[in-house]
Amino acid sequence: MFTTINGKKTSEEIKSEIAARVAKIKREGGKIPHLAAILVGNDGASQTYVGAKVKSCEQVGFESTLVRMDADVTEEELLRVVEDINANPEIDGLIVQLPLPKHISVEKVTNLIKPEKDVDGFTPTNVGRMALNWPTYVSATPFGIMELLKRYQIPTSGKHCVVIGRSHIVGSPMSILMARNTDPGNATVTLTHSRTKDLASIAKTADILIVALGKPGFVTADMVKEGAVVIDVGIHRVPDASKKSGFKLVGDVLFDEVAPKCSAITPVPGGVGPMTIASLLYNTLLAAEQQVYRP
Ligand code: NAP
């Protein structure tokens, strides 16, 4: 029998913990955490993600500011808004929703965000601090996965962790975090990608398999070791006539056939996804309390 790692429930617990801390800050007359989000253009998925982040801020008692900019905004204008928010003492955390339109350099924008406000953990400073195991804002999805491993008391020390996918926002940081001398962590990590040869055989040696490649149902039962822990980061809409919406959400792992082989597995939806927002809120709380970058 496998354990279903319930990210929805865990994320609600974290949000309640954050809300309790905000209530205490309010009682004591402290500064209410304030998150600003910049959304450029009208991409449907981005609007949904940013909307959910802003709504979650309200849920835990944070203040939030949503800055919407047209898709044809100039790079200079966007950089100016980032600078304004950097300089605004009322705002503790800033996120710029990706992707940005092609004429805007993601590198320039990311590099301009003040590390002290970079609650997405995307700036070079904060990625470097993560790699050095210094206090920092760990980016939300990897942070959420580490928190799930911790709260479900999944042993990681000395285990073989295989990560599929090497993106800057998921696979790469996951491989760094799992290899760090921390708990969770201390794993022996293999980072795989599209050029990896015989991926199925490597995946099958994993005690912990973290899957973030963005291909629905890619991981099948024959790629998974008996008793493995499987973390599925992928999220996809696939057509489903039986649903009112006309679609259902699936992950990168073929859940129904893989789950019976696992000791624990995250479902999609309700696994890694909900943890991402909870982690962003947590980072914003840390920023407001100046727990990472002490003045
Ligand atoms: P990404 O930037 O597209 O990166 C995909 C990675 O997978 C790349 O490193 C790529 O290798 C690798 N890859 C592609 N095909 C492969 C194959 N056949 N075999 C082995 N590796 C392969 O993706 P991402 O942003 O990390 O996202 C991955 C998935 O997670 C997506 O479904 C995304 O929607 C989801 N996601 C979910 C959350 C959440 O909150 N739940 C957050 C972020 C992302 P190369 O580097 O060689 O191209």
Side-chain angles (χ1 to χ4, degrees), residues 13-295:
E13 286 164 10
I14 293 171
K15 284 196 241 173
S16 301
E17 292 161 17
I18 295 171
R21 264 163 77 172
V22 176
K24 186 165 177 281
I25 293 171
K26 277 190 185 157
R27 275 198 308 276
E28 293 170 355
K31 158 104 183 52
I32 307 296
H34 187 157
L35 176 71
I38 302 179
L39 173 64
V40 182
N42 296 311
D43 177 70
S46 292
Q47 292 194 47
T48 307
Y49 293 143
V50 171
K53 288 169 189 174
V54 169
K55 196 166 151 236
S56 295
C57 282
E58 286 165 15
Q59 229 186 327
V60 297
F62 285 3
E63 285 172 10
S64 62
T65 298
L66 173 58
V67 182
R68 300 192 69 132
M69 306 187 86
D70 292 336
D72 61 359
V73 66
T74 64
E75 189 177 86
E76 289 68 31
E77 268 177 272
L78 176 55
L79 292 173
R80 214 167 23 246
V81 171
V82 170
E83 271 176 342
D84 285 349
I85 294 175
N86 278 346
N88 184 343
E90 286 304 310
I91 295 177
D92 304 295
L94 165 63
I95 56 171
V96 178
Q97 185 66 41
L98 302 179
L100 290 172
K102 286 200 169 48
H103 66 279
I104 296 176
S105 158
V106 176
E107 278 181 26
K108 265 195 203 165
V109 174
T110 305
N111 213 14
L112 190 65
I113 298 171
K114 209 173 162 185
E116 288 89 333
K117 298 194 179 191
D118 167 34
V119 288
D120 255 341
F122 288 166
T123 58
T125 299
N126 285 334
V127 174
R129 290 174 73 99
M130 176 196 63
L132 291 165
N133 200 1
W134 292 3
T136 190
Y137 304 111
V138 173
S139 67
T141 303
F143 186 11
I145 294 170
M146 295 302 276
E147 201 58 29
L148 283 178
L149 294 172
K150 187 157 114 193
R151 291 186 184 228
Y152 276 83
Q153 297 179 347
I154 306 242
T156 60
S157 179
K159 303 289 181 189
H160 184 207
C161 173
V162 174
V163 181
I164 306 183
R166 58 177 164 184
S167 72
H168 295 324
I169 59 165
V170 190
S172 268
M174 258 343 286
S175 70
I176 294 169
L177 292 169
M178 290 300 283
R180 288 197 321 190
N181 180 8
T182 53
D183 183 25
N186 280 316
T188 304
V189 178
T190 304
L191 179 61
T192 68
H193 44 78
S194 68
R195 310 291 177 93
T196 299
K197 291 206 163 56
D198 202 6
L199 177 61
S201 306
I202 297 170
K204 205 162 182 173
T205 64
D207 302 306
I208 301 166
L209 183 62
I210 300 175
V211 190
L213 79 158
K215 292 198 163 33
F218 179 87
V219 171
T220 47
D222 57 316
M223 294 168 72
V224 176
K225 181 162 90 176
E226 204 68 52
V229 174
V230 173
I231 306 292
D232 187 357
V233 187
I235 183 148
H236 314 273
R237 277 182 179 193
V238 296
D240 182 346
S242 72
K243 301 267 180 204
K244 215 170 126 194
S245 60
F247 69 86
K248 64 173 177 178
L249 294 176
V250 300
D252 286 349
V253 175
L254 218 46
F255 186 89
D256 289 346
E257 66 168 61
V258 170
K261 288 189 87 175
C262 298
S263 56
I265 183 167
T266 59
V268 178
V272 172
M275 291 297 290
T276 298
I277 290 187
S279 305
L280 174 70
L281 296 174
Y282 188 75
N283 277 345
T284 307
L285 180 68
L286 294 183
E289 293 182 339
Q290 297 181 330
Q291 287 200 46
V292 173
Y293 289 90
R294 293 210 173 273

